[in-house]
Amino acid sequence: MPGHPVHATALIEAYLPGPDLDRTTDPLLRHLRHGGALSEEVIADTAHTHRSGRLTVTQDSGHVVDPGVGCPHPRRITLGAPTNSRALAAFARPRTNAPAFRQNDAGARALLTTLTGSAAADHRPERPAAPVGLGG
């Protein structure tokens, strides 16, 4: 509080760097971004355009929006701070039905629906394909 100094022997900072899809060091995200399979959230009005650096996903299930096809990709789901799906996650407590929990539950349902739909269509569990062009 202003005017009330606090003396401490340690400081723990929980720093999360700002999102920057253009400068990500993650090889999969970089590959998908350069291949045109990911888009960055852009907020614009008549006076200003802001590039957030956040990955564009659907708000209901976390499906990654694929600009190449102009709609959510049916098998790419992601959640978290680097996405444009902003659930308030600051120290959500168990059994509170906090927005972050609801968002994670929706993402889990979408993932399970996707996986069970694929398995049912093939009548066998699907093995995930290795990313192309990302090996060293």
Side-chain angles (χ1 to χ4, degrees):
M1 294 184 68
H4 297 349
V6 175
H7 301 280
T9 58
L11 170 68
I12 299 172
E13 181 181 19
Y15 174 74
L16 182 63
D20 193 340
L21 193 54
D22 281 338
R23 295 187 330 179
T24 184
T25 58
D26 182 276
L28 178 58
L29 287 177
R30 207 172 41 236
H31 173 76
L32 291 171
R33 173 74 165 151
H34 292 305
L38 301 178
S39 62
E40 176 183 2
E41 176 190 45
V42 177
I43 302 166
D45 62 21
T46 57
H48 182 70
T49 298
H50 171 70
R51 296 180 57 199
S52 74
R54 296 176 186 275
L55 178 62
T56 304
V57 300
T58 60
Q59 298 297 308
D60 59 339
S61 63
H63 278 88
V64 174
V65 175
D66 186 338
V69 294
C71 62
H73 190 283
R75 297 184 51 83
R76 293 183 184 143
I77 299 167
T78 190
L79 302 169
T83 71
N84 69 323
S85 184
R86 292 173 177 86
L88 302 173
F91 305 107
R93 291 179 302 249
R95 294 183 287 281
T96 61
N97 199 25
F101 295 147
R102 292 193 307 269
Q103 181 185 50
N104 290 341
D105 289 347
R109 279 191 298 277
L111 180 61
L112 290 170
T113 299
T114 299
L115 293 175
T116 56
S118 296
D122 292 343
H123 302 291
R124 60 181 160 67
E126 185 175 312
R127 290 194 307 185
V132 177
L134 297 179

